[in-house]
mmCIF file of all heavy atoms in Angstrom:
data_model
loop_
_atom_site.group_PDB
_atom_site.id
_atom_site.type_symbol
_atom_site.label_atom_id
_atom_site.label_comp_id
_atom_site.label_asym_id
_atom_site.label_seq_id
_atom_site.Cartn_x
_atom_site.Cartn_y
_atom_site.Cartn_z
ATOM 1 N N ASP A 160 44.915 27.696 -28.505
ATOM 2 C CA ASP A 160 43.768 26.807 -28.356
ATOM 3 C C ASP A 160 42.864 26.983 -29.584
ATOM 4 O O ASP A 160 42.297 28.035 -29.811
ATOM 5 C CB ASP A 160 42.980 27.137 -27.078
ATOM 6 C CG ASP A 160 41.923 26.077 -26.759
ATOM 7 O OD1 ASP A 160 41.194 25.668 -27.685
ATOM 8 O OD2 ASP A 160 41.835 25.641 -25.596
ATOM 9 N N PHE A 161 42.720 25.891 -30.360
ATOM 10 C CA PHE A 161 41.972 25.985 -31.627
ATOM 11 C C PHE A 161 40.717 25.102 -31.599
ATOM 12 O O PHE A 161 40.334 24.509 -32.619
ATOM 13 C CB PHE A 161 42.880 25.619 -32.791
ATOM 14 C CG PHE A 161 43.961 26.641 -33.020
ATOM 15 C CD1 PHE A 161 45.241 26.442 -32.534
ATOM 16 C CD2 PHE A 161 43.680 27.819 -33.681
ATOM 17 C CE1 PHE A 161 46.232 27.389 -32.719
ATOM 18 C CE2 PHE A 161 44.654 28.787 -33.872
ATOM 19 C CZ PHE A 161 45.930 28.578 -33.389
ATOM 20 N N THR A 162 40.086 25.043 -30.442
ATOM 21 C CA THR A 162 38.837 24.300 -30.297
ATOM 22 C C THR A 162 37.799 24.749 -31.315
ATOM 23 O O THR A 162 37.033 23.936 -31.859
ATOM 24 C CB THR A 162 38.277 24.475 -28.878
ATOM 25 O OG1 THR A 162 39.262 24.064 -27.927
ATOM 26 C CG2 THR A 162 37.018 23.653 -28.695
ATOM 27 N N SER A 163 37.765 26.047 -31.605
ATOM 28 C CA SER A 163 36.763 26.594 -32.533
ATOM 29 C C SER A 163 36.930 26.093 -33.951
ATOM 30 O O SER A 163 36.008 26.222 -34.762
ATOM 31 C CB SER A 163 36.834 28.134 -32.537
ATOM 32 O OG SER A 163 36.418 28.647 -31.288
ATOM 33 N N PHE A 164 38.090 25.517 -34.257
ATOM 34 C CA PHE A 164 38.343 25.058 -35.624
ATOM 35 C C PHE A 164 38.565 23.546 -35.692
ATOM 36 O O PHE A 164 39.179 23.037 -36.638
ATOM 37 C CB PHE A 164 39.568 25.784 -36.203
ATOM 38 C CG PHE A 164 39.429 27.273 -36.246
ATOM 39 C CD1 PHE A 164 40.274 28.083 -35.522
ATOM 40 C CD2 PHE A 164 38.446 27.875 -37.003
ATOM 41 C CE1 PHE A 164 40.134 29.463 -35.538
ATOM 42 C CE2 PHE A 164 38.289 29.250 -37.035
ATOM 43 C CZ PHE A 164 39.154 30.052 -36.297
ATOM 44 N N SER A 165 38.068 22.837 -34.705
ATOM 45 C CA SER A 165 38.242 21.381 -34.677
ATOM 46 C C SER A 165 36.894 20.662 -34.706
ATOM 47 O O SER A 165 35.904 21.165 -34.165
ATOM 48 C CB SER A 165 39.003 20.957 -33.411
ATOM 49 O OG SER A 165 39.038 19.548 -33.278
ATOM 50 N N VAL A 167 34.231 18.198 -33.355
ATOM 51 C CA VAL A 167 33.915 17.857 -31.973
ATOM 52 C C VAL A 167 34.062 16.343 -31.777
ATOM 53 O O VAL A 167 34.087 15.575 -32.726
ATOM 54 C CB VAL A 167 32.472 18.292 -31.612
ATOM 55 C CG1 VAL A 167 32.365 19.800 -31.654
ATOM 56 C CG2 VAL A 167 31.460 17.658 -32.568
ATOM 57 N N GLN A 226 37.459 36.840 -31.756
ATOM 58 C CA GLN A 226 36.452 36.412 -30.785
ATOM 59 C C GLN A 226 36.056 34.947 -31.024
ATOM 60 O O GLN A 226 35.782 34.201 -30.071
ATOM 61 C CB GLN A 226 35.224 37.314 -30.852
ATOM 62 C CG GLN A 226 35.481 38.738 -30.382
ATOM 63 C CD GLN A 226 36.076 38.795 -28.992
ATOM 64 O OE1 GLN A 226 35.553 38.170 -28.051
ATOM 65 N NE2 GLN A 226 37.166 39.527 -28.839
ATOM 66 N N ILE A 227 36.010 34.551 -32.273
ATOM 67 C CA ILE A 227 35.711 33.142 -32.594
ATOM 68 C C ILE A 227 36.753 32.229 -31.976
ATOM 69 O O ILE A 227 36.424 31.185 -31.394
ATOM 70 C CB ILE A 227 35.639 32.960 -34.129
ATOM 71 C CG1 ILE A 227 34.359 33.588 -34.670
ATOM 72 C CG2 ILE A 227 35.719 31.473 -34.503
ATOM 73 C CD1 ILE A 227 34.305 33.661 -36.184
ATOM 74 N N ILE A 228 38.017 32.599 -32.087
ATOM 75 C CA ILE A 228 39.092 31.800 -31.489
ATOM 76 C C ILE A 228 38.906 31.720 -29.968
ATOM 77 O O ILE A 228 38.982 30.623 -29.382
ATOM 78 C CB ILE A 228 40.473 32.390 -31.815
ATOM 79 C CG1 ILE A 228 40.732 32.396 -33.330
ATOM 80 C CG2 ILE A 228 41.581 31.619 -31.093
ATOM 81 C CD1 ILE A 228 42.015 33.088 -33.733
ATOM 82 N N LEU A 229 38.643 32.863 -29.355
ATOM 83 C CA LEU A 229 38.557 32.935 -27.894
ATOM 84 C C LEU A 229 37.337 32.190 -27.337
ATOM 85 O O LEU A 229 37.373 31.688 -26.212
ATOM 86 C CB LEU A 229 38.523 34.390 -27.444
ATOM 87 C CG LEU A 229 39.793 35.218 -27.735
ATOM 88 C CD1 LEU A 229 39.596 36.658 -27.294
ATOM 89 C CD2 LEU A 229 41.014 34.607 -27.057
ATOM 90 N N LYS A 230 36.267 32.116 -28.103
ATOM 91 C CA LYS A 230 35.051 31.455 -27.614
ATOM 92 C C LYS A 230 35.187 29.933 -27.536
ATOM 93 O O LYS A 230 34.408 29.272 -26.852
ATOM 94 C CB LYS A 230 33.862 31.833 -28.504
ATOM 95 C CG LYS A 230 33.399 33.270 -28.288
ATOM 96 C CD LYS A 230 32.215 33.626 -29.187
ATOM 97 C CE LYS A 230 31.767 35.058 -28.967
ATOM 98 N NZ LYS A 230 30.651 35.450 -29.859
ATOM 99 N N LYS A 231 36.151 29.370 -28.272
ATOM 100 C CA LYS A 231 36.432 27.916 -28.200
ATOM 101 C C LYS A 231 35.160 27.098 -28.471
ATOM 102 O O LYS A 231 34.840 26.159 -27.728
ATOM 103 C CB LYS A 231 37.049 27.552 -26.858
ATOM 104 C CG LYS A 231 38.332 28.300 -26.557
ATOM 105 C CD LYS A 231 38.879 27.977 -25.177
ATOM 106 C CE LYS A 231 40.101 28.830 -24.877
ATOM 107 N NZ LYS A 231 40.633 28.568 -23.520
ATOM 108 N N ASN A 232 34.461 27.474 -29.522
ATOM 109 C CA ASN A 232 33.202 26.815 -29.857
ATOM 110 C C ASN A 232 33.135 26.665 -31.376
ATOM 111 O O ASN A 232 33.099 27.663 -32.098
ATOM 112 C CB ASN A 232 32.025 27.661 -29.357
ATOM 113 C CG ASN A 232 30.687 26.990 -29.580
ATOM 114 O OD1 ASN A 232 30.554 26.074 -30.383
ATOM 115 N ND2 ASN A 232 29.671 27.458 -28.870
ATOM 116 N N ARG A 233 33.112 25.428 -31.859
ATOM 117 C CA ARG A 233 33.109 25.189 -33.300
ATOM 118 C C ARG A 233 31.906 25.815 -33.995
ATOM 119 O O ARG A 233 31.992 26.223 -35.162
ATOM 120 C CB ARG A 233 33.139 23.664 -33.572
ATOM 121 C CG ARG A 233 33.114 23.294 -35.055
ATOM 122 C CD ARG A 233 34.352 23.784 -35.777
ATOM 123 N NE ARG A 233 34.308 23.533 -37.200
ATOM 124 C CZ ARG A 233 33.835 24.397 -38.106
ATOM 125 N NH1 ARG A 233 33.331 25.573 -37.720
ATOM 126 N NH2 ARG A 233 33.857 24.091 -39.387
ATOM 127 N N CYS A 234 30.802 25.956 -33.287
ATOM 128 C CA CYS A 234 29.601 26.522 -33.886
ATOM 129 C C CYS A 234 29.761 28.004 -34.242
ATOM 130 O O CYS A 234 29.017 28.533 -35.045
ATOM 131 C CB CYS A 234 28.412 26.347 -32.948
ATOM 132 S SG CYS A 234 27.948 24.620 -32.655
ATOM 133 N N GLU A 235 30.743 28.669 -33.615
ATOM 134 C CA GLU A 235 30.960 30.091 -33.865
ATOM 135 C C GLU A 235 31.719 30.337 -35.164
ATOM 136 O O GLU A 235 31.604 31.418 -35.759
ATOM 137 C CB GLU A 235 31.740 30.710 -32.701
ATOM 138 C CG GLU A 235 31.024 30.689 -31.369
ATOM 139 C CD GLU A 235 29.833 31.633 -31.337
ATOM 140 O OE1 GLU A 235 29.848 32.632 -32.088
ATOM 141 O OE2 GLU A 235 28.893 31.368 -30.570
ATOM 142 N N ALA A 236 32.506 29.351 -35.620
ATOM 143 C CA ALA A 236 33.340 29.528 -36.798
ATOM 144 C C ALA A 236 32.543 29.271 -38.076
ATOM 145 O O ALA A 236 31.405 28.777 -38.038
ATOM 146 C CB ALA A 236 34.548 28.593 -36.733
ATOM 147 N N GLY A 237 33.155 29.570 -39.210
ATOM 148 C CA GLY A 237 32.502 29.370 -40.489
ATOM 149 C C GLY A 237 32.497 27.917 -40.921
ATOM 150 O O GLY A 237 33.101 27.050 -40.280
#
Side-chain angles (χ1 to χ4, degrees):
D160 190 314
F161 292 99
T162 303
S163 293
F164 301 117
S165 173
V167 295
Q226 293 306 310
I227 287 170
I228 298 174
L229 296 177
K230 287 179 180 178
K231 302 176 184 178
N232 184 342
R233 179 64 184 91
C234 295
E235 296 290 333

